[in-house]
Amino acid sequence: MKKWIGGMAALTLLSTSIVLLDADAKSEPKKPKVELGVDRLMENPDILKGKRVGLITNPTGINAERTSIVDLFDQSDDFELTALYGPEHGVRGDAQAGSTVSSYIDEVTGLPVYSLYGATKKPTPDMLEDVDVLVFDIQDVGTRYYTYIYTMAYAMEAAAENGIPFVVLDRPNPQGGLRVDGPVLDPDYASFIGLYPIPLKHGMTVGELAQLFNSEYHIQADLEVVKMKGWKRSMMYEDTGLPFVMPSPNMPTTDTVNVYPATGLFEGTNLSEGRGTTKPFQLIGAPYIQAHEYAKELNDLDLPGVAFRAASFTPTFSKHAGKLTHGVEVYVTDPTRFESTKTGIAMIQTAHDLYPDDFAFLANDFITKLTGNAYVKDMILEGAPLDEILTKIEDERDAFLPIRKDYLMYK
């Protein structure tokens, strides 16, 4: 008996040692596989040395240790941070989608924060008065209908017009850099959610887009992109080892990011796109939808990399606020196979066909800004087969691919 107790004591001691060893191993943070543009700049800030810097950023502008670029720049002895510029949702990310963002004084740094989402979307000469160089550091989501990349484009225009160099600190495309999907914007439908003729899912980083915008659309800014180190086009965001900060209030997770190019199209319909729920863009529905019927029809399409669950929810704001709403929860089961445009159009087409007396595109024709054309809406209303719509889309995308290829910086 004594031997047995001794053996147990030894085993307990050994187990404790193993636990402690595991704890020690876990205490060391895992180094990210990707080194961000901001981290590479701070290692060698020569391009900003001695200059007055204007910074366009939001809460996603952090380094690998989760420190805000605002703090990094404000504390630097190599250059002087003199102004901040806020995109949609603001520098601190506290404004809802579409809400006007005002200019103000930042409480932390005491610096002026100029709004680029309100009456002014492009920095004015007065806003650039104390700036020698403009720096852009914001996490994009890889989808054409997202305003941050057009804030960047307008700021590049202002920099070119005022003789100010423009620096982009590159970040990963969270949807990866391989798949290009969706219609190319028709310039007749250009807006602040789609300014240039690029596909809905472009498969490019912000740095690559900046170079494309600058050259193809004749901005001609004095542009420098600080590249990432270690990023590969095959990487989804989870593969980078980097912390994820939600880019906007209704983009809380990478699951949301992955589904967004498909279900963001519902913003142009009378179905809720899940705003006002804990799963925006993953929950889709309307009070008139029969959830199990809709889910079955969608699952029967056997769309690649995606599955649907019948779901009911009550949005707290936006469409159908306070009303019990029925539809589906969308699960991207394999992001590498997921065909976002095919999925989004199939979901809209199915809702239209199942509920023709209730389904509607919004009267403001917002759907044309999202798709970047009128023909997707028209073909759905005319009952065109899904394959016919996709063939037209794929022809546009294929024509864009050689243009895109010239601006890819990563393999």
Side-chain angles (χ1 to χ4, degrees), residues 166-203:
F166 195 89
V167 177
V168 174
L169 306 182
D170 213 5
R171 290 183 174 270
N173 183 323
Q175 297 183 50
L178 293 177
R179 185 174 287 278
V180 181
D181 193 9
V184 173
L185 177 92
D186 179 338
D188 289 344
Y189 295 89
S191 70
F192 197 51
I193 61 165
L195 199 58
Y196 298 121
I198 61 174
L200 197 156
K201 183 171 177 174
H202 48 71

Side-chain angles (χ1 to χ4, degrees), residues 377-397:
K377 172 190 171 184
D378 291 343
M379 292 178 81
I380 290 173
L381 293 175
E382 291 163 5
L386 178 60
D387 286 348
E388 188 178 323
I389 302 173
L390 293 175
T391 296
K392 189 172 177 63
I393 288 171
E394 286 162 6
D395 288 345
E396 293 179 358
R397 179 205 60 193

Side-chain angles (χ1 to χ4, degrees), residues 131-191:
V131 170
D132 300 318
V133 59
L134 270 176
V135 176
F136 179 92
D137 187 26
I138 294 177
Q139 177 62 59
D140 183 38
V141 300
T143 304
R144 186 186 65 227
Y145 46 65
Y146 209 60
T147 60
Y148 297 155
I149 55 177
Y150 307 116
T151 292
M152 177 179 72
Y154 279 140
M156 287 168 61
E157 287 183 5
E161 291 163 3
N162 290 274
I164 296 172
F166 195 89
V167 177
V168 174
L169 306 182
D170 213 5
R171 290 183 174 270
N173 183 323
Q175 297 183 50
L178 293 177
R179 185 174 287 278
V180 181
D181 193 9
V184 173
L185 177 92
D186 179 338
D188 289 344
Y189 295 89
S191 70

Side-chain angles (χ1 to χ4, degrees), residues 9 14 71 73 88 103 115 144 148 153-154 169 173 188 191 197 200 202 212 247 263 304 312 332 335 338 342 369 401:
L14 179 61
D71 296 332
F73 275 27
E88 184 178 6
S103 297
S115 171
R144 186 186 65 227
Y148 297 155
Y154 279 140
L169 306 182
N173 183 323
D188 289 344
S191 70
L200 197 156
H202 48 71
L212 184 146
T263 56
S312 295
V332 177
F338 179 54
K342 182 176 184 177
K369 291 184 178 179
L401 292 177

Side-chain angles (χ1 to χ4, degrees), residues 70-296:
V70 177
D71 296 332
L72 293 172
F73 275 27
D74 191 46
Q75 295 162 12
S76 175
D77 295 326
D78 294 298
F79 51 86
E80 180 186 5
L81 181 63
T82 55
L84 299 169
Y85 303 85
E88 184 178 6
H89 311 296
V91 166
R92 302 293 178 185
D94 52 0
Q96 265 295 347
S99 300
T100 298
V101 178
S102 301
S103 297
Y104 59 97
I105 299 298
D106 181 57
E107 292 181 1
V108 179
T109 63
L111 294 171
V113 179
Y114 297 107
S115 171
L116 300 180
Y117 192 81
T120 302
K121 292 183 171 63
K122 179 177 175 179
T124 64
D126 286 346
M127 293 179 182
L128 300 171
E129 189 175 3
D130 296 321
V131 170
D132 300 318
V133 59
L134 270 176
V135 176
F136 179 92
D137 187 26
I138 294 177
Q139 177 62 59
D140 183 38
V141 300
T143 304
R144 186 186 65 227
Y145 46 65
Y146 209 60
T147 60
Y148 297 155
I149 55 177
Y150 307 116
T151 292
M152 177 179 72
Y154 279 140
M156 287 168 61
E157 287 183 5
E161 291 163 3
N162 290 274
I164 296 172
F166 195 89
V167 177
V168 174
L169 306 182
D170 213 5
R171 290 183 174 270
N173 183 323
Q175 297 183 50
L178 293 177
R179 185 174 287 278
V180 181
D181 193 9
V184 173
L185 177 92
D186 179 338
D188 289 344
Y189 295 89
S191 70
F192 197 51
I193 61 165
L195 199 58
Y196 298 121
I198 61 174
L200 197 156
K201 183 171 177 174
H202 48 71
M204 301 177 76
T205 69
V206 286
E208 291 172 336
L209 283 172
Q211 293 192 98
L212 184 146
F213 292 169
N214 200 42
S215 180
E216 294 294 325
Y217 310 122
H218 313 296
I219 296 175
Q220 298 181 327
D222 179 4
L223 173 66
E224 180 158 355
V225 176
V226 180
K227 290 177 62 177
M228 296 175 283
K229 186 176 180 180
W231 189 73
K232 296 179 175 62
R233 309 204 78 80
S234 59
M235 285 181 166
M236 304 303 289
Y237 200 87
E238 292 82 357
D239 300 325
T240 66
L242 293 165
F244 181 79
V245 176
M246 58 183 189
S248 55
N250 292 293
M251 199 65 62
T253 68
T254 55
D255 287 337
T256 323
V257 171
N258 290 337
V259 79
Y260 179 61
T263 56
L265 294 172
F266 279 93
E267 293 192 77
T269 75
N270 65 353
L271 278 78
S272 167
E273 66 277 2
R275 291 184 189 275
T277 76
T278 56
K279 290 198 169 182
F281 301 107
Q282 292 175 265
L283 289 170
I284 303 294
Y288 60 80
I289 296 285
Q290 300 295 316
H292 286 87
E293 177 184 46
Y294 188 41
K296 182 181 184 306

